[in-house]
Amino acid sequence: MQNKSTEKMLEIITESADNRGGADIQVLDIRKNTTIADYFVIVSGNSTPQLNAIAEEIEDNMAKEGYETYHNEGNGQSRWIILDYADIIVHIFHRDMREFYNLERLWSGDEEKKEEE
């Protein structure tokens, strides 16, 4: 169950990403899989400027509501940006990088099931 603060943060993040044309926005509940965070938000973009714009929009809107980035890494040039809000980690990928890393499958447990078969 999400608390009100987490719910509000997820809303700001997903709306901000959508405002900048982020594609295939996914929220993964990873609480059962790890203690590093409660949620991953995964977003795709098509270009370096778009990745940077999505990250800026998220950071600006979160800051307006009093949520500061704990840590960030990467930029549009690296084709993967991470914004760490402690309980929520945002991954902003260039579309082909997202397909390559496929975090959705990795963190959903599908990989473990596949190995067990």
Side-chain angles (χ1 to χ4, degrees), residues 69-81:
T69 310
Y70 175 70
H71 179 78
N72 63 17
E73 203 158 312
N75 58 47
Q77 297 293 349
S78 64
R79 301 166 64 88
W80 186 359
I81 300 172

Side-chain angles (χ1 to χ4, degrees), residues 53-64:
I54 292 168
E56 273 183 38
E57 181 86 1
I58 291 169
E59 287 183 301
D60 290 349
N61 289 332
M62 290 289 280
K64 285 177 192 172

